[in-house]
Amino acid sequence: MREWVAGGMQSVRECESSALGTALCLALLFIWYCYRVGCEHTAPSLRGGFSPEPRGGAVPGGVLASDLSARGGLSKLRKVGGVGGSGVGEEELNGFAYCQSPECFRCAKPGEGLNQRLYHSLQEYAKRYTWAGMGRVHKGVREQGRYLLCNRPSIQKPEVFFLPDLPSAPFFSREAQKHDVELLERSFPALLAEFESVYRLPTSRTGSSLPLGWKANSTPRGQWWTFYLVNQGTPMVLNARRCPRAWRVLGQLRTFIANNVFGNACFSVISPGATITEHYGPTNVRLRCHLGSPEDGPRVVFMVDLWHPNVAAAERQALDYIFTPGR
């Protein structure tokens, strides 16, 4: 009996040792996988890719606007003098006027070539990682080739990519992105100070009347200027170095779209009486947050693109891969 009990106890110890070894192996494999995914999908520029040199009024408010609502009209902002420049040409696309800039991903006339690239990128992602959680992304890519997005029988008519079954609204509650909205509001004094500093930069030497780093946008009436920190997922390094505090704020946002072409962050200024043509955004997977200016002093809006709260983490990772800038 003693020998039998002793043999049983030895077997139990061997099983425990084997189970522990298996658990350790699985843990190491999981850590390696997380490291690999992190290396390929993080935004190094927002995590210390470069180190910029350091440099009141009414309570500001953050507004989360759906990026697919047709919107426009007069923008009554107090004039901030000294900026000029003409816009680029326009053409009709999706029923509205758009620029013809070769740098604009949305305005690059997406067609059959884009549809094939999207499907190829999705297949490549799934082979490297997983198809799990890709149902809506797969459906969205598959339906790209079924009809032009601008002819979609829906109130949502994005120009580049439509993710099915996302709830839509003209404006989303601040609770949808509570952390990021509150962070932007707390950072308002720093953002306004950096806007004022870059707005007073000397003009470019290329012959443009715009200050360094600013771009003119096409408008039917009036003028609209933007100063990008991130433009279509690409960091504007020189601009970011001039706005180190704004850059740090972007790095602290939890839902900022930092790794694909749908992500932008910029200061926006509109002249009094200017009109922005009604338009749809390129996708329904993002919300655009507008941080308004105070009543006194220069009037400006700080715009940031955040993930739609109903886009799952797995879908965000896949979309970052599929819509990586330059892919």
Side-chain angles (χ1 to χ4, degrees):
M1 177 62 73
R2 291 179 179 176
E3 293 177 357
W4 182 80
V5 172
M9 293 178 65
Q10 179 65 26
S11 297
V12 170
R13 284 195 294 268
E14 290 176 355
C15 290
E16 290 177 347
S17 176
S18 177
L20 180 60
T22 302
L24 287 174
C25 288
L26 290 175
L28 289 173
L29 286 173
F30 179 77
I31 292 172
W32 173 83
Y33 173 80
C34 292
Y35 173 77
R36 180 182 174 188
V37 171
C39 287
E40 295 186 4
H41 292 283
T42 54
S45 55
L46 286 177
R47 299 177 183 272
F50 64 87
S51 300
E53 295 182 1
R55 303 282 240 202
V59 177
V63 178
L64 291 173
S66 173
D67 201 39
L68 292 179
S69 302
R71 57 194 185 275
L74 298 180
S75 301
K76 299 179 180 178
L77 294 183
R78 183 175 301 171
K79 184 176 182 181
V80 186
V83 176
S86 58
V88 295
E90 295 180 347
E91 67 172 20
E92 287 295 316
L93 182 63
N94 200 358
F96 301 110
Y98 284 104
C99 70
Q100 299 180 10
S101 170
E103 301 174 357
C104 183
F105 186 81
R106 183 187 66 192
C107 303
K109 297 183 179 179
E112 186 63 27
L114 173 64
N115 301 337
Q116 293 177 354
R117 291 198 304 273
L118 294 185
Y119 199 80
H120 174 77
S121 296
L122 175 60
Q123 288 182 317
E124 186 178 86
Y125 173 84
K127 289 178 181 178
R128 297 184 65 178
Y129 301 103
T130 178
W131 279 105
M134 293 298 102
R136 291 196 301 185
V137 177
H138 184 224
K139 181 180 178 181
V141 171
R142 187 175 66 246
E143 289 185 351
Q144 292 275 125
R146 187 169 298 177
Y147 43 72
L148 290 175
L149 291 179
C150 59
N151 296 328
R152 176 178 296 278
S154 167
I155 193 173
Q156 295 184 320
K157 301 179 186 293
E159 294 294 344
V160 178
F161 179 73
F162 177 81
L163 185 65
D165 306 320
L166 277 185
S168 63
F171 296 93
F172 281 73
S173 166
R174 59 184 288 116
E175 299 300 317
Q177 306 287 11
K178 182 179 177 65
H179 172 273
D180 288 354
V181 171
E182 291 182 348
L183 173 60
L184 288 167
E185 289 179 338
R186 290 195 305 271
S187 305
F188 177 78
L191 295 174
L192 180 60
E194 290 194 331
F195 159 74
E196 292 174 337
S197 70
V198 299
Y199 196 77
R200 292 180 173 84
L201 288 171
T203 58
S204 171
R205 296 181 181 179
T206 60
S208 170
S209 58
L210 292 170
L212 291 169
W214 287 84
K215 296 180 65 175
N217 300 282
S218 179
T219 55
R221 183 171 66 239
Q223 294 177 316
W224 176 23
W225 312 285
T226 47
F227 184 89
Y228 280 95
L229 301 179
V230 177
N231 186 7
Q232 299 181 108
T234 300
M236 301 289 100
V237 178
L238 295 180
N239 288 356
R241 284 177 176 163
R242 299 182 184 117
C243 301
R245 288 176 288 181
W247 188 254
R248 283 195 293 271
V249 170
L250 292 179
Q252 295 169 5
L253 296 175
R254 294 175 180 174
T255 60
F256 175 52
I257 302 178
N259 301 323
N260 69 55
V261 297
F262 300 133
N264 301 273
C266 69
F267 292 108
S268 172
V269 177
I270 304 175
S271 66
T275 300
I276 297 179
T277 306
E278 292 183 336
H279 60 281
Y280 293 102
T283 182
N284 64 331
V285 303
R286 75 184 187 186
L287 302 182
R288 175 156 287 182
C289 182
H290 290 193
L291 185 67
S293 67
E295 293 298 326
D296 57 340
R299 299 292 298 275
V300 66
V301 173
F302 186 64
M303 300 193 302
V304 184
D305 291 326
L306 308 177
W307 283 106
H308 189 295
N310 293 91
V311 180
E315 294 173 326
R316 296 179 186 184
Q317 180 173 291
L319 293 172
D320 279 346
Y321 185 91
I322 295 170
F323 290 102
T324 299
R327 176 175 289 276

